[in-house]
């Protein structure tokens, strides 16, 4: 929640970042959290997760389309 809070407060300006690293990327599957991630439009996004798919509609690949092993 701290990322979303700091973006909403203006403490973090998403356009200032070139790289966004998401630990436990599956946490960002909710629409609210995905909206925060989308604000980092200029950033390369790298996510790590042991749970790549929550269900058929909630998948990490829906917002991080490239997978590397």
């Amino acid at each position: 929640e701290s990322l979303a809070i700091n973006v909403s407060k203006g403490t973090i300006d998403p356009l200032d970042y070139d790289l966004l690293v998401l630990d436990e990327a599956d946490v960002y599957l909710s629409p609210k959290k995905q909206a925060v991630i989308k604000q980092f439009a200029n950033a390369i996004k790298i996510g790590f997760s042991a749970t790549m798919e929550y269900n058929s509609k909630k998948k990490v690949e829906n917002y991080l389309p490239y997978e590397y092993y």
Side-chain angles (χ1 to χ4, degrees):
E1 292 295 321
S2 62
L3 179 63
I5 290 168
N6 284 301
V7 169
S8 68
K9 286 182 178 179
T11 309
I12 293 176
D13 181 356
L15 299 178
D16 288 342
Y17 292 84
D18 297 324
L19 176 66
L20 186 62
V21 178
L22 304 167
D23 187 27
E24 298 298 332
D26 55 286
V27 171
Y28 295 90
L29 294 175
S30 72
K32 179 181 175 183
K33 290 183 179 179
Q34 285 183 34
V36 173
I37 299 305
K38 287 179 183 177
Q39 292 181 51
F40 290 81
N42 300 329
I44 295 169
K45 297 161 191 78
I46 300 173
F48 298 93
S49 178
T51 312
M52 298 302 287
E53 182 176 328
Y54 181 76
N55 64 36
S56 63
K57 292 183 181 180
K58 289 186 174 183
K59 299 178 183 180
V60 172
E61 69 184 31
N62 291 344
Y63 71 96
L64 296 175
Y66 305 103
E67 286 186 38
Y68 300 97
Y69 299 94

